[in-house]
Amino acid sequence: MRYISDDGKVFNTEHECLEHEKGLEEEKCRKEKLEMERKNRLNSINKKYVDLQKDIFEYKKDYGDTGIGYISPFEEFAKLVLGC
Protein backbone atom coordinates (compact mmCIF):
# COMPACT_ATOMS: atom_id res chain seq x y z
CA MET A 1 0.00 0.00 0.00
CA ARG A 2 1.22 3.53 -0.77
CA TYR A 3 0.65 6.65 1.27
CA ILE A 4 0.33 10.17 -0.07
CA SER A 5 1.23 13.15 2.08
CA ASP A 6 -0.66 16.43 2.08
CA ASP A 7 1.90 17.92 -0.31
CA GLY A 8 1.50 15.06 -2.80
CA LYS A 9 4.61 12.98 -2.09
CA VAL A 10 4.20 9.22 -2.16
CA PHE A 11 5.60 6.93 0.56
CA ASN A 12 5.79 3.15 1.00
CA THR A 13 4.85 3.15 4.68
CA GLU A 14 2.51 5.14 6.85
CA HIS A 15 5.40 5.89 9.22
CA GLU A 16 7.45 7.51 6.43
CA CYS A 17 4.47 9.61 5.44
CA LEU A 18 3.78 10.73 9.02
CA GLU A 19 7.45 11.60 9.57
CA HIS A 20 7.44 13.68 6.40
CA GLU A 21 4.28 15.53 7.43
CA LYS A 22 5.72 16.09 10.92
CA GLY A 23 8.80 17.63 9.30
CA LEU A 24 6.60 19.89 7.18
CA GLU A 25 4.71 21.04 10.25
CA GLU A 26 7.95 21.74 12.15
CA GLU A 27 9.27 23.75 9.19
CA LYS A 28 6.03 25.74 9.05
CA CYS A 29 6.29 26.51 12.79
CA ARG A 30 9.94 27.52 12.40
CA LYS A 31 9.09 29.89 9.54
CA GLU A 32 6.21 31.42 11.52
CA LYS A 33 8.53 31.96 14.50
CA LEU A 34 11.17 33.59 12.28
CA GLU A 35 8.54 35.84 10.71
CA MET A 36 7.31 36.90 14.15
CA GLU A 37 10.89 37.67 15.23
CA ARG A 38 11.45 39.66 12.02
CA LYS A 39 8.31 41.72 12.61
CA ASN A 40 9.25 42.35 16.24
CA ARG A 41 12.75 43.49 15.26
CA LEU A 42 11.37 45.77 12.54
CA ASN A 43 8.91 47.29 15.01
CA SER A 44 11.78 47.88 17.43
CA ILE A 45 13.85 49.57 14.72
CA ASN A 46 10.93 51.75 13.68
CA LYS A 47 10.30 52.79 17.30
CA LYS A 48 13.96 53.71 17.73
CA TYR A 49 13.86 55.69 14.49
CA VAL A 50 10.83 57.66 15.69
CA ASP A 51 12.60 58.31 19.00
CA LEU A 52 15.69 59.49 17.09
CA GLN A 53 13.61 61.88 15.03
CA LYS A 54 12.01 63.27 18.21
CA ASP A 55 15.43 63.71 19.81
CA ILE A 56 16.75 65.52 16.73
CA PHE A 57 13.70 67.79 16.71
CA GLU A 58 14.15 68.57 20.41
CA TYR A 59 17.88 69.23 19.91
CA LYS A 60 17.19 71.61 17.02
CA LYS A 61 14.55 73.37 19.09
CA ASP A 62 16.89 73.78 22.07
CA TYR A 63 20.28 74.32 20.43
CA GLY A 64 19.68 75.19 16.80
CA ASP A 65 20.88 73.32 13.74
CA THR A 66 22.50 69.93 14.30
CA GLY A 67 24.66 70.18 11.22
CA ILE A 68 23.05 67.08 9.77
CA GLY A 69 20.39 66.99 7.15
CA TYR A 70 17.53 64.61 6.79
CA ILE A 71 18.63 61.03 7.22
CA SER A 72 16.55 58.22 5.85
CA PRO A 73 16.18 55.13 8.04
CA PHE A 74 18.38 53.07 5.73
CA GLU A 75 21.10 55.70 5.59
CA GLU A 76 21.10 55.98 9.38
CA PHE A 77 21.25 52.21 9.73
CA ALA A 78 24.16 52.01 7.27
CA LYS A 79 26.03 54.71 9.16
CA LEU A 80 25.57 52.92 12.46
CA VAL A 81 26.54 49.51 11.10
CA LEU A 82 29.22 50.42 8.58
CA GLY A 83 30.55 53.50 10.30
CA CYS A 84 30.27 55.54 7.09
Side-chain angles (χ1 to χ4, degrees), residues 21-76:
E21 288 180 350
K22 181 180 174 185
L24 292 176
E25 186 64 30
E26 289 172 354
E27 180 67 17
K28 180 181 173 187
C29 289
R30 186 185 71 77
K31 286 181 179 181
E32 288 174 356
K33 182 180 175 186
L34 288 173
E35 180 64 16
M36 181 71 74
E37 289 174 0
R38 184 194 69 78
K39 286 180 181 180
N40 288 341
R41 185 171 297 167
L42 182 60
N43 287 339
S44 173
I45 290 169
N46 287 334
K47 183 184 179 311
K48 289 174 183 173
Y49 180 71
V50 168
D51 290 342
L52 172 65
Q53 293 300 316
K54 286 178 185 176
D55 286 346
I56 291 171
F57 174 77
E58 289 295 319
Y59 183 91
K60 284 182 179 182
K61 187 174 85 175
D62 294 342
Y63 305 107
D65 190 19
T66 62
I68 59 172
Y70 173 77
I71 300 173
S72 73
F74 179 77
E75 289 172 349
E76 180 65 22

